[in-house]
Amino acid sequence: MATGFVRPARPADASEIARIQLATWRTAYRRLLPRGVLAELDEAWMAGQWRAAIEEPPSSRHHIMIAIEQAGPPPDEPDAEADAEADAEPAVRSYVVGFVATGPADEAALAPEEKPLPETTAAITDLLVEPRWGRRGHGSRLLAAAVAGWHTDGFDTAVAWAYDGDPATRAFLASAGWEPDGATRALDVDDLLVDQFRLHVSLDDVDVEPTGA
């Protein structure tokens, strides 16, 4: 039986965070972002950036948390099928399967020419679950952990950007009470404009009950 939980990220987790980010982008965003950009992303460089963010966060209100699943072999690992066929009990292992990065809403949370958001507004900068571990509640657990941290840090609202071409993220956040706030922007990715819209939620209204995400 699988067990899932969330804990603060440690420097040693940086490589797994980068791997998950790259694997998820190349799967979920392969039709949104230029293929060449995704192919050229440097996993080692990304891991270094995450390690620095974990070791020296910009403030005490910046947090990176990871989702862990304790289970048998991953869904796409050959041993999983072999063990099932042999009716053997697979060894329980711990896997980093997703992560969330949050902090105060800064310039990266703003639409073009928008005034700064209130200091009581938090922002999700990344919330990703590796696709092969999807639909097991990890996204909901990560969001619940983020909300608990926001309450502790004195935030009362939160925002997050989503791609127009990413209905899964919109549906997941909408199921937890998030709604578009009318802000939009277009990211210039290798001369391709990729449209985004922003969602927001009051922490009094957010629903963090685990779902299948």
Side-chain angles (χ1 to χ4, degrees), residues 6-55:
V6 173
R7 66 164 173 79
R10 304 163 185 159
D13 299 318
S15 294
E16 276 297 276
I17 292 173
R19 183 193 64 76
I20 290 169
Q21 184 177 32
L22 194 54
T24 304
W25 281 3
R26 285 176 173 170
T27 300
Y29 300 154
R30 65 185 184 277
R31 293 186 177 89
L32 294 176
L33 303 177
R35 183 177 301 178
V37 171
L38 292 174
E40 292 173 4
L41 289 172
D42 187 331
E43 186 173 326
W45 179 86
M46 294 166 66
Q49 296 296 107
W50 285 113
R51 187 173 297 107
I54 295 168
E55 292 176 338

Side-chain angles (χ1 to χ4, degrees), residues 60-164:
S60 62
R61 298 204 297 173
H62 285 80
H63 304 284
I64 302 171
M65 291 169 283
I66 61 171
I68 301 289
E69 177 158 329
Q70 293 179 320
D76 59 352
E77 187 172 301
D79 287 349
E81 184 176 347
D83 284 341
E85 290 177 354
D87 293 325
E89 186 70 25
V92 174
R93 311 177 193 173
S94 292
Y95 303 92
V96 180
V97 298
F99 70 96
V100 62
T102 71
D106 56 15
E107 292 183 359
L110 302 179
E113 301 182 4
E114 184 180 17
K115 294 180 180 180
L117 296 173
E119 293 183 358
T120 54
T121 303
I124 292 176
T125 54
D126 289 283
L127 198 171
L128 298 173
V129 174
E130 190 175 359
R132 62 177 174 166
W133 296 103
R135 309 303 302 172
R136 300 157 89 94
H138 297 299
S140 297
R141 281 187 283 271
L142 286 166
L143 185 57
V147 171
W150 293 336
H151 281 298
T152 299
D153 289 337
F155 295 112
D156 57 26
T157 58
V159 297
W161 287 97
Y163 291 108
D164 273 354

Side-chain angles (χ1 to χ4, degrees), residues 190-209:
D190 198 24
D191 294 328
L192 174 68
L193 293 180
V194 183
D195 293 328
Q196 291 187 310
F197 63 94
R198 193 173 65 198
L199 299 100
H200 72 142
V201 71
S202 165
L203 299 192
D204 291 333
D205 300 328
V206 65
D207 179 4
V208 293
E209 288 298 320

Side-chain angles (χ1 to χ4, degrees), residues 178-194:
W178 296 61
E179 298 179 341
D181 66 5
T184 61
R185 67 186 183 187
L187 300 183
D188 186 344
V189 184
D190 198 24
D191 294 328
L192 174 68
L193 293 180
V194 183

